[in-house]
Amino acid sequence: QVRLVESGGGLVQPGGSLRLSCAASGSIFTSNRMGWFRQAPEKQRELVATITSGGATNYADSVKGRFTISRDSANNTLYLQMNSLKPEDTSVYYCWIYVSGNNYWGQGTQVTVSS
């Protein structure tokens, strides 16, 4: 079993920054893919960014150049540095891992961008 716990969400003004963290525990193997998704009210969950165990990254066009995904494999922790935040980034952000053919999700952390 895998457990994902997110932290770091909150309220920030437009143009501000936040860093999300996701602590993973359980059957985390060396070969996996991790990432961040988000879901705004009445909208579908959408990909934000992913990173492989080898460090290859992928970003949604809407966050390229503003968000950076990274991971500390030694400590099984995933990060999302979010800069130049916009009101449209307001969502619940979910940590995700794909390992051994299974998808696992965290409980989500709220990010609100508002003045």
Side-chain angles (χ1 to χ4, degrees):
Q1 194 58 278
V2 173
R3 184 169 183 241
L4 302 173
V5 179
E6 301 102 332
S7 61
L11 173 64
V12 64
Q13 291 187 342
S17 298
L18 280 176
R19 189 175 84 152
L20 304 183
S21 300
C22 173
S25 60
S27 301
I28 308 295
F29 300 103
T30 55
S31 178
N32 58 59
R33 183 185 293 265
M34 299 187 75
W36 294 93
F37 286 71
R38 67 187 182 186
Q39 187 168 17
E42 300 182 359
K43 290 189 176 181
Q44 289 189 334
R45 190 171 296 188
E46 63 177 4
L47 179 148
V48 176
T50 63
I51 185 168
T52 67
S53 50
T57 58
N58 179 55
Y59 294 91
D61 287 343
S62 59
V63 306
K64 281 181 181 176
R66 300 189 297 122
F67 291 10
T68 302
I69 190 170
S70 60
R71 61 190 291 171
D72 178 352
S73 295
N75 294 302
N76 291 327
T77 303
L78 180 71
Y79 302 100
L80 185 68
Q81 178 66 43
M82 304 185 293
N83 298 328
S84 302
L85 282 160
K86 304 175 181 180
E88 51 263 44
D89 294 318
T90 296
S91 283
V92 177
Y93 284 72
Y94 296 91
C95 179
W96 163 80
I97 186 170
Y98 178 78
V99 58
S100 299
N102 296 301
N103 293 293
Y104 299 92
W105 298 91
Q107 82 287 353
T109 185
Q110 176 71 45
V111 172
T112 302
V113 185
S114 175
S115 54

